[in-house]
Amino acid sequence: SQTIHQWPATLVQPVGSPLSLECTVEGTSNPNLYWYRQAAGRGLQLLFYSVGIGQISSEVPQNLSASRPQDRQFILSSKKLLLSDSGFYLCAWSVLVAQETQYFGPGTRLLVL
Amino acid sequence: AQSVTQLDSQVPVFEEAPVELRCNYSSSVSVYLFWYVQYPNQGLQLLLKYLSGSTLVKGINGFEAEFNKSQTSFHLRKPSVHISDTAEYFCAVTPTGFQKLVFGTGTRLLVSP
């Protein structure tokens, strides 16, 4: 069966520091991968999605970037964090034959101080 | 573009009572519809989905939803709730043939004894 991992689970970072969040999927090949952000009391906002290695689509312009160095690895990064980057970051995956259905990881809670 | 409206931000209910969480969507094309549940500090779990066929969809944990195309609604129901159903519930939509979900802002279900 497929599983999705995210780490770290929780992160507290100062403003202006860099960020790297990692997501990996097991048990499937060539998944679509997604990064979402959930701000306090709000819904989910799609940040990036990827249909293959090195293929990244950005949905919202911001100081975040994403990379997909391996088939089942998706990384969210920032060079300099802002206070507004605080939130709950969720990674999700879907398979090519049923790409409408997404499955979510446990999330990373980021607090920027 | 698609949009999702969850009119109720919070729904309080007593244990063993029935509940309905409302979801309305807007789209000029055919869509797939989803309900996800999020327990505190966790990722999203897929409850149920409508892709085609019967408009009454049954999901996990005793939940069901009915797709009403004329009213552009996809309300979630459960005949008898438990304390453990306390969580945030998200409705989501994607155009058929696409893989990007649009989420509502969520409804917090509060079940009390």
Side-chain angles (χ1 to χ4, degrees), chain A residues 35-51:
Chain A
W35 276 113
Y36 290 87
R37 177 169 59 201
Q38 184 179 25
R42 300 178 64 180
L44 281 79
Q45 180 186 38
L46 179 63
L47 301 175
F48 302 94
Y49 71 95
S50 170
V51 299

Side-chain angles (χ1 to χ4, degrees), chain A residues 27-96:
Chain A
T28 187
S29 296
N30 196 28
N32 291 339
L33 295 171
Y34 310 83
W35 276 113
Y36 290 87
R37 177 169 59 201
Q38 184 179 25
R42 300 178 64 180
L44 281 79
Q45 180 186 38
L46 179 63
L47 301 175
F48 302 94
Y49 71 95
S50 170
V51 299
I53 295 175
Q55 300 178 62
I56 309 294
S57 295
S58 175
E59 290 294 299
V60 182
Q62 60 220 319
N63 73 321
L64 299 172
S65 62
S67 61
R68 185 169 176 175
Q70 300 179 38
D71 181 44
R72 290 170 290 175
Q73 185 184 33
F74 205 22
I75 297 173
L76 183 69
S77 304
S78 173
K79 292 182 179 178
K80 287 186 178 181
L81 283 169
L82 306 173
L83 287 174
S84 58
D85 291 323
S86 293
F88 194 45
Y89 288 82
L90 291 157
C91 181
W93 66 273
S94 65
V95 295
L96 188 62

